[in-house]
Amino acid sequence: MKNYTITVNGTVYDVTVEEGGAGSAPIRAAAPKAAPAAPAAPAAAPAPAGDAGSIEVTASVPGKVFKVEASVGQAVKAGDPIIILEAMKMEIPVVAPEDGTIASIDVSVGDAVESGDVLATLN
């Protein structure tokens, strides 16, 4: 028998798995216990000084910056590509959420980004 501790949606379970023949591995789970406290989130990076716009353009998926399509000061329409991300061998455009002017580009080609990271801002 092997014991495991498994967390599902923040609830922690102690699980015992009996090793047996093919297809005969009954699982017994104990009552849930309190989940350990989540680690503190790292402090957010400071925003660029005064140059940031009020509309944030964020990454929808984790990946790598493949290409920067727009430049600071450029006027864009909703749906215009600003950044191209590469994720899972695919090129994924990150587009302007609304009409505006590029206030800042906060990434460079080759940067690794996570989902939700601010890539650029618009005014």
Side-chain angles (χ1 to χ4, degrees):
M1 295 203 340
K2 291 190 178 190
N3 294 317
Y4 298 95
T5 300
I6 300 173
T7 304
V8 179
N9 294 332
T11 304
V12 179
Y13 297 92
D14 286 324
V15 179
T16 302
V17 179
E18 287 184 22
E19 295 183 42
S24 63
I27 298 175
R28 290 186 217 121
K33 58 184 179 179
D51 294 331
S54 59
I55 303 162
E56 293 183 340
V57 179
T58 60
S60 57
V61 296
K64 189 181 222 181
V65 177
F66 180 72
K67 187 176 185 182
V68 177
E69 293 276 332
S71 58
V72 174
Q74 179 179 341
V76 293
K77 300 271 186 201
D80 286 352
I82 298 173
I83 308 266
I84 306 292
L85 296 179
E86 181 182 31
M88 298 183 295
K89 305 279 184 189
M90 296 186 316
E91 293 178 17
I92 302 167
V94 178
V95 299
E98 57 187 76
D99 294 355
T101 303
I102 303 290
S104 69
I105 299 289
D106 302 324
V107 293
S108 300
V109 172
D111 287 355
V113 297
E114 294 296 324
S115 184
D117 285 356
V118 176
L119 306 177
T121 58
L122 302 175
N123 283 326

